[in-house]
Amino acid sequence: MTALLRSYAVLAWAILMGLTAISWWVGSEHDVGGMSMKTATSLVLIAAFAKVALVGHSFMELRHAARPLQVAFWGWCVMVATVVVAVYLTG
Amino acid sequence: MASTGAQSLTETAARLRESKRWIPGEAGIWAFILMDMCTFAFFFATFARERGRDPEAFAQGRETLSATFGAANTFLLLTASLCVALAVRLVREGNGRLAQRFLLGSGACGAVFVVNKVVEWSGKLSAGHEPNDNDFYQLFFTFTGIHLLHVLIAMVVLVYLWRVAGSVKVAPTAHQARFFENGASYWHLVDLLWLVLFALLYLMA
């Protein structure tokens, strides 16, 4: 059990939970160091896709996977994050 | 004590994972996962675009949502994913029984997610917010609805994973390991799609 608790999956989970909590807080429109709403929201969106990338790396074990699969998955993360943030900022 | 056959199977699997040519589960599940991610990518872009066209309606719509509900659901799915990931590891080690306990954990998280969703939706509907009210609610109900279908399917997948785990004694056969990895990958898909939906629907200011 101890080995399980010290596994990469648990570490990744803790990071994902933390990022979720932070995003939730930022998204609740607390004054985040005087950051503009556009900046804060963009960061929340980028964080969401970073979390997806981490889910892929850790839970889905893509860190061990064949290169084409890694490219497809993380490529999706980068491309869709870019499109969504771009549409948001130019909307 | 692991028989030579089972041990070498586990070793082969471990070597395969280190070879950088490995595909978790089977190529077919990844074809599905990537296709589903692309479909949702289109949903995500559509939401962002429609939001830009009617920022007031979307801001108002967002106000009626509870970010707490959204965050709680995110925590639930992340935890469900963790339990599934740990179950995969346990199955590989031949510990089917403990893997089943973690799968029950995933099931519990998934069940609470479904209940939360029903509560949230009925709250919206009884407050008079319906899918065809405006673009925000149409997209909200459609996207969370399609995602909910994914979750319900995931719960069924969990039953099969539970059964496979139950029949793993010393080490999984190659077929059992692949099946388990397929099911686990699907769970993580359900989780990752929600990570983006949460940010888009609940957190965009």
Side-chain angles (χ1 to χ4, degrees):
Chain A
M1 193 56 115
T2 328
L4 273 187
L5 292 174
R6 289 162 63 189
S7 62
Y8 176 42
V10 173
L11 174 64
W13 173 85
I15 294 169
L16 289 163
M17 298 286 271
L19 284 174
T20 301
I22 293 169
S23 296
W24 177 22
W25 185 79
V26 170
S28 307
E29 290 164 272
H30 287 94
D31 185 19
V32 194
M35 211 188 287
S36 76
M37 211 124 70
K38 284 272 180 187
T39 309
T41 299
S42 300
L43 289 176
V44 165
L45 289 172
I46 291 168
F49 288 96
K51 282 152 71 181
V52 173
L54 181 54
V55 166
H57 191 266
S58 61
F59 295 159
M60 298 175 103
E61 302 186 280
L62 291 178
R63 66 193 180 283
H64 297 306
R67 179 66 78 205
L69 185 53
Q70 294 179 328
V71 168
F73 187 92
W74 289 324
W76 180 96
C77 292
V78 170
M79 279 194 321
V80 184
T82 307
V83 168
V84 169
V85 172
V87 171
Y88 168 65
L89 290 177
T90 58
Chain B
M1 189 131 175
S3 72
T4 320
Q7 209 163 35
S8 64
L9 191 65
T10 313
E11 280 160 13
T12 310
R15 268 204 305 279
L16 183 60
R17 282 197 294 282
E18 269 135 50
S19 73
K20 283 295 197 175
R21 283 171 179 225
W22 177 59
I23 296 199
E26 291 166 339
I29 197 69
W30 285 100
F32 168 76
I33 287 170
L34 291 168
M35 184 213 69
D36 213 33
M37 284 167 71
C38 287
T39 304
F40 270 81
F42 178 69
F43 293 167
F44 300 152
T46 300
F47 185 86
R49 191 196 65 211
E50 291 306 311
R51 190 180 177 281
R53 285 189 182 158
D54 196 351
E56 267 156 41
F58 274 66
Q60 264 169 24
R62 187 203 160 208
E63 294 288 306
T64 66
L65 297 184
S66 161
T68 306
F69 250 107
N73 279 343
T74 311
F75 292 141
L76 285 167
L77 286 186
L78 285 174
T79 306
S81 256
L82 171 66
C83 288
V84 167
L86 294 177
V88 168
R89 199 175 134 136
L90 287 165
V91 160
R92 285 190 188 134
E93 290 168 8
N95 197 341
R97 286 270 167 268
L98 190 54
Q100 283 184 315
R101 298 223 184 93
F102 277 96
L103 292 175
L104 284 179
S106 301
C109 291
V112 177
F113 180 96
V114 172
V115 168
N116 275 357
K117 190 65 31 155
V118 170
V119 169
E120 189 189 20
W121 276 8
S122 18
K124 295 285 151 287
L125 294 170
S126 59
H129 304 299
E130 285 172 16
N132 50 15
D133 270 3
N134 60 27
D135 286 334
F136 174 82
Y137 285 110
Q138 189 174 67
L139 296 180
F140 170 79
F141 280 108
T142 304
F143 295 163
T144 57
I146 295 174
H147 180 263
L148 182 64
L149 274 175
H150 281 68
V151 175
L152 294 174
I153 291 169
M155 298 294 278
V156 174
V157 167
L158 209 56
V159 173
Y160 285 94
L161 292 180
W162 194 86
R163 284 165 64 175
V164 168
S167 58
V168 169
K169 294 292 171 248
V170 162
T173 63
H175 179 258
Q176 283 174 329
R178 269 199 313 272
F179 179 89
F180 213 85
E181 287 164 8
N182 283 342
S185 298
Y186 178 74
W187 259 95
H188 302 313
L189 168 71
V190 170
D191 179 23
L192 73 89
L193 293 175
W194 179 257
L195 292 176
V196 182
L197 281 177
F198 171 54
L200 283 174
L201 298 172
Y202 297 82
L203 301 181
M204 284 181 85

